[in-house]
Amino acid sequence: MLQKDVKLDKTCKTWQLEKHIDFLQSFGKERHQYESSMMEFLRMSGMYWGLTALYLINDGNIPKEDEIFEFIKSCEHSCGGYSPAPGHDPHLLYTLSAVQISCLLNRELELPIEKIVSYVSKLQKDDGSFTGDKWGEVDTRYSFCALACLSLLSKLNEIDLAKAIDFIKSCQNFDGGFGSRPGAESHGGLIYCCVGALSIAGRLDLVDADTLGWWLAERQLPSGGLNGRPEKLPDVCYSWWVFSSLNILGRDHWIDKDELKNFILASQDTEGGGFSDRPGDEPDPFHTLFGLAALSLMSYDKILPIDPTYCMPKSVISRLGLKPQILS
Ligand code: FPP
């Protein structure tokens, strides 16, 4: 069968720490104004990607100006949800990003917690699934968003957790993986969401870790990169979705980490900093976070440790007293 993959240059690219810091600090300023304005519809998540990435490689130092928290407040809606930017509609994904950024800033207690809890819990349906917003699209990624968001606020008991877990279980496939809805094909990103949600709920006993670990390990291609499904090209973001899932399942040693490290390093922009989806493409904050986060899971250089379940610095997760389940 034809295997899609990329060819890496023989010479391994050198680690560009200072350039990555510069890339993340300058995103949204003149240098990236066009990209930044084109990303308005996902700005809240963009801030979470950029600030988390910077935290990891800048010794936990991120800009703490009131401007960031003011931006979060400007995206708050009366229903308790957050939009990606002022004037846009609220959505569960941006609500999670708003909570994550507030936790990074150590200001989560200043959020209107009861309103957020009410917004999230109203998005749960009778079968335990969650919709992303009032328009009703169901997806397991929203199950993760709901569980992550509420647990960060110590409010996991405010939803029907047993039903939320039943719905995730109903999305499990014969290959051990999970899809977006019952019967949908297994997908690396959605496996992270389901395994992550079960890790938060302490219900990894529901996962067939060996079968799923095998499926996840099969995602590594000869270039060392990971894809999200069979027949797809490798992409740096799957270095996170797939590799963090293997970490949660205690099976990270089932892939070749040196080869994965090489693939991620080959996807750096050695001129302007940042990481792209694969070598030679344009860098962006999304792939920069997931490239750095995967390198963190491999204890690369001085990158601070990341929590594989929440994709947030371990120090923040411990400050909040959270202990997501990890299999050994
Ligand atoms: C790939 O999507 C990625 C996913 C499906 C996972 C998305 C995860 C969340 C929204 C939860 C929040 C995540 C964090 C880290 C806090 P895609 O549509 O790009 O898939 P494709 O590669 O098949 O196109």
Side-chain angles (χ1 to χ4, degrees), residues 76 79-82 95 99 102-103 107-121 149-150 152-156 158:
E76 202 174 288
C79 61
Y82 289 76
T95 305
V99 171
S102 305
C103 292
R107 293 185 72 168
E108 72 282 355
L109 296 179
E110 295 173 48
L111 293 170
I113 295 177
E114 292 312 320
K115 281 172 78 175
I116 298 174
V117 169
S118 155
Y119 175 72
V120 176
S121 54
C149 185
L150 293 184
L152 288 168
L153 297 172
S154 307
K155 295 287 182 187
L156 201 50
E158 303 277 344

Side-chain angles (χ1 to χ4, degrees), residues 17-156:
L17 178 65
E18 292 306 323
K19 285 187 181 164
H20 297 321
I21 293 176
D22 189 41
F23 173 81
L24 291 163
Q25 284 175 336
S26 68
F27 209 87
K29 305 206 174 126
E30 312 92 76
R31 196 173 131 203
H32 299 288
Q33 212 142 46
Y34 174 71
E35 290 95 324
S36 179
S37 62
M38 294 304 284
M39 281 171 55
E40 184 177 275
F41 66 98
L42 41 75
R43 182 156 299 152
M44 185 71 81
S45 292
M47 284 180 81
Y48 152 70
W49 303 328
L51 290 172
T52 307
L54 190 59
Y55 190 109
L56 294 177
I57 55 172
N58 200 28
D59 263 337
N61 295 310
I62 52 170
K64 291 240 167 59
E65 294 105 44
D66 282 343
E67 212 184 305
I68 299 176
F69 202 67
E70 288 305 318
F71 171 79
I72 294 177
K73 285 208 266 186
S74 72
C75 297
E76 202 174 288
H77 289 253
S78 54
C79 61
Y82 289 76
S83 50
H88 289 243
D89 289 340
H91 192 283
L92 187 49
L93 177 59
Y94 306 111
T95 305
L96 169 61
S97 299
V99 171
Q100 287 173 307
I101 300 167
S102 305
C103 292
L104 283 177
L105 298 171
N106 198 355
R107 293 185 72 168
E108 72 282 355
L109 296 179
E110 295 173 48
L111 293 170
I113 295 177
E114 292 312 320
K115 281 172 78 175
I116 298 174
V117 169
S118 155
Y119 175 72
V120 176
S121 54
K122 281 187 185 146
L123 293 173
Q124 188 171 30
K125 293 172 50 117
D126 288 345
D127 64 358
S129 65
F130 283 85
T131 62
D133 59 15
K134 65 176 182 182
W135 301 109
E137 186 202 8
V138 166
D139 193 301
T140 45
R141 73 185 82 194
Y142 307 137
S143 301
F144 174 82
C145 291
L147 268 67
C149 185
L150 293 184
S151 60
L152 288 168
L153 297 172
S154 307
K155 295 287 182 187
L156 201 50

Side-chain angles (χ1 to χ4, degrees), residues 48 93 96 100 141 144-145 187 189-190 192-193 229 232 235 237-238 240-241 286 290 310-311:
Y48 152 70
L93 177 59
L96 169 61
Q100 287 173 307
R141 73 185 82 194
F144 174 82
C145 291
H187 180 290
L190 299 161
Y192 164 79
C193 290
R229 280 173 289 171
K232 296 281 184 181
D235 183 320
C237 74
Y238 288 98
W240 175 259
W241 309 121
F286 176 85
F290 295 121
Y310 286 95
C311 196

